Amino acid sequence: MNQYTLSLVSLAASLACSVPAHADPLSLKLSETVTYDTNYARNTSDDAEVVSSTGIALGLNKSYGRQNYSASGKFGIDKHKNFKEQDNNNYELSGGFVSEIASNWAVALNGSTSEKLNSVENNPLNNRLAKNMVRSHAAGMNLQYGVAGRWSLLGSLGMARTSYSLDSYDDYQNRKQSSGGLRLVYNTSDLLSFGLGVSTANTEYPKQIVAGVPEEIKQRSLDFTTNWQVTGFSRLDSILSYTKNKYKSDSRADFKGFTGRLNWNYKPTGVTTYSLSAARVTNNDGSGTGLRNNAGVYDTIEDYILGNIRYVDTTINSVTTSIDGRMRWTPTAKLGFTAGLGWDRYDVTTSRNVSSAGPTGKTSSDYTVVSLASDYNFSRAISVGCSIQQYKQSAESNPQVTTNVQRVGHDGRQFSCNASFTID
């Protein structure tokens, strides 16, 4: 650990001696993580890197009558051995409030703000190691009628804003989003419930000028959910959605289809837990993962006036199928082991309408990751852990088809160890 971390640990140790156990709902956590990656840039160059991440986190969780207040703040410093331009300071602040109202109502408010380094594999292929900080701000409200009983009605509202520091991202990925939803839930028993609802999300890209107008995506979804406590050891949660997306710039980019996810947890004994999840998602989900309209694209209003057109592939439909499995084994109260296996399948279809943008067609690729981790709690305050991860990304099956996120074949290993000191 660097000298800054050691100073924090010394301060925390002094605080621990002066604070009695369970005195208040505050918590303090100091952590240090060192990671070695054999392919940090996630490309064919296989550039190794060592990253040191030092963090401090403060938390508050206070119940007062029928209300609960929560807040947390995290601040981190990341240092890189070889790619020092990636060094950064990151933070995350969040707060929440939950309260029951009258006899059958409940309301929850939450907000957050953060800044962190964008994952290098999400940067442009020709600029993977650029320092690209992503800033996010979000606020939301949930209102529930029917706290107890067979029927309940849930409503939600949300707002979010995301921006990037890298110019090539700032030009088209900065976005603001508003969302809302209404869902009716029927509890057949304490073990099984069903839900039917509608949701909406509007995403605006102020700097993404397509066909002369800033891009805007309107999403409407019909959702069916179920939560099933199969036994005392097994739980199943799922959601199936029929989604329609409409693009302001061009109706040819509109999308409709089914998406969904399923999560299953199984704990047959007190020391072993299994979990399995599966999901099908599309990049046409209102999250703004890239340009999708194949008409001429202008980077700014001025470019549109001057006729500085550039053709890019924007009629892209991308579907990702994911399966993840984990097993957790805790032979003692202090020692634990976790094994994981993940697989993602990316299927991309393009249907361009200008020849200069390249050929139409389909391409696919796979990503597989295998991981093994262990952790040990010396005491309530001190814990350590290490993990190893093997990952592999296959190349595009049709390299002639250009996608928004061009995936190149690569593989590598990641080794990580961490230590933390917590007062709560």
Side-chain angles (χ1 to χ4, degrees):
M1 293 188 293
N2 58 38
Q3 189 170 356
Y4 176 74
T5 308
L6 292 175
S7 300
L8 292 177
V9 172
S10 299
L11 173 62
S14 300
L15 292 173
C17 295
S18 59
V19 178
H22 309 292
D24 53 47
L26 294 172
S27 65
L28 170 66
K29 182 177 180 179
L30 309 173
S31 63
E32 175 69 20
T33 303
V34 178
T35 303
Y36 172 73
D37 200 317
T38 64
N39 191 352
Y40 177 73
R42 299 298 192 269
N43 54 27
T44 56
S45 60
D46 291 334
D47 294 317
E49 178 62 297
V50 178
V51 182
S52 170
S53 301
T54 304
I56 179 173
L58 295 172
L60 168 69
N61 194 332
K62 175 65 175 178
S63 295
Y64 185 77
R66 301 174 67 187
Q67 303 173 353
N68 180 268
Y69 303 85
S70 62
S72 66
K74 301 177 183 179
F75 178 76
I77 299 176
D78 291 352
K79 295 292 184 180
H80 297 70
K81 179 181 178 181
N82 300 320
F83 304 104
K84 297 187 181 300
E85 65 276 10
Q86 291 272 300
D87 290 353
N88 67 91
N89 298 336
N90 51 84
Y91 68 86
E92 180 180 350
L93 303 173
S94 64
F97 167 77
V98 179
S99 177
E100 293 185 10
I101 304 173
S103 61
N104 214 22
W105 290 84
V107 62
L109 304 174
N110 61 81
S112 65
T113 181
S114 66
E115 181 179 61
K116 62 181 181 180
L117 187 70
N118 194 45
S119 299
V120 293
E121 59 265 32
N122 293 330
N123 284 339
L125 186 59
N126 60 352
N127 203 12
R128 279 289 172 86
L129 294 177
K131 185 176 181 179
N132 188 13
M133 302 298 293
V134 53
R135 301 175 183 88
S136 300
H137 312 282
M141 180 185 73
N142 295 283
L143 184 65
Q144 177 178 347
Y145 174 74
V147 176
R150 290 191 177 274
W151 293 94
S152 60
L153 185 65
L154 294 85
S156 63
L157 293 173
M159 297 180 63
R161 186 183 296 269
T162 304
S163 61
Y164 297 84
S165 63
L166 190 63
D167 289 342
S168 59
Y169 255 61
D170 177 75
D171 285 343
Y172 70 93
Q173 285 281 30
N174 286 4
R175 59 187 179 269
K176 54 183 179 181
Q177 186 179 68
S178 60
S179 60
L182 188 65
R183 179 172 299 167
L184 182 66
V185 178
Y186 176 63
N187 302 291
T188 61
S189 67
D190 293 339
L191 304 179
L192 179 63
S193 66
F194 299 96
L196 182 65
V198 293
S199 60
T200 178
N202 290 352
T203 308
E204 300 178 19
Y205 300 84
K207 294 187 177 182
Q208 185 182 136
I209 310 301
V210 184
V213 296
E215 183 64 286
E216 181 179 352
I217 306 171
K218 295 183 178 180
Q219 179 190 78
R220 304 294 183 266
S221 297
L222 178 65
D223 310 313
F224 176 76
T225 62
T226 181
N227 299 279
W228 184 21
Q229 186 73 43
V230 186
T231 67
F233 310 109
S234 182
R235 181 177 178 85
L236 184 69
D237 305 294
S238 65
I239 178 171
L240 178 66
S241 302
Y242 180 72
T243 301
K244 290 185 177 181
N245 289 348
K246 184 177 181 179
Y247 292 80
K248 182 178 181 180
S249 59
D250 189 351
S251 61
R252 289 169 297 184
D254 291 354
F255 168 84
K256 59 182 178 180
F258 287 95
T259 62
R261 65 179 182 272
L262 181 147
N263 299 299
W264 174 62
N265 290 279
Y266 179 56
K267 190 174 184 178
T269 67
V271 298
T272 307
T273 303
Y274 301 91
S275 63
L276 180 67
S277 63
R280 181 184 187 272
V281 297
T282 167
N283 73 340
N284 301 300
D285 59 0
S287 62
T289 54
L291 303 172
R292 299 178 181 86
N293 179 302
N294 191 47
V297 176
Y298 306 87
D299 292 326
T300 64
I301 292 291
E302 290 76 12
D303 285 336
Y304 174 66
I305 296 174
L306 296 174
N308 296 330
I309 189 172
R310 65 181 175 90
Y311 289 107
V312 297
D313 173 21
T314 51
T315 51
I316 290 180
N317 286 326
S318 176
V319 175
T320 302
T321 304
S322 303
I323 299 176
D324 291 280
R326 298 206 174 267
M327 183 186 72
R328 171 78 174 167
W329 180 48
T330 53
T332 70
K334 295 185 175 182
L335 181 63
F337 298 92
T338 304
L341 175 63
W343 174 78
D344 295 312
R345 171 79 172 190
Y346 307 100
D347 293 300
V348 182
T349 303
T350 66
S351 54
R352 304 174 182 84
N353 64 306
V354 290
S355 59
S356 57
T360 63
K362 298 181 180 180
T363 184
S364 61
S365 62
D366 300 278
Y367 179 77
T368 306
V369 58
V370 181
S371 62
L372 181 63
S374 63
D375 54 86
Y376 183 75
N377 297 314
F378 285 100
S379 64
R380 179 177 174 178
I382 300 174
S383 64
V384 297
C386 286
S387 66
I388 180 173
Q389 184 183 98
Q390 172 76 44
Y391 54 85
K392 183 176 182 179
Q393 170 71 57
S394 68
E396 299 287 354
S397 61
N398 187 353
Q400 300 301 318
V401 175
T402 303
T403 66
N404 289 329
V405 182
Q406 197 72 12
R407 298 179 176 88
V408 296
H410 67 266
D411 60 74
R413 289 160 299 282
Q414 188 180 89
F415 307 89
S416 178
C417 285
N418 65 83
S420 64
F421 179 82
T422 305
I423 303 173
D424 59 7

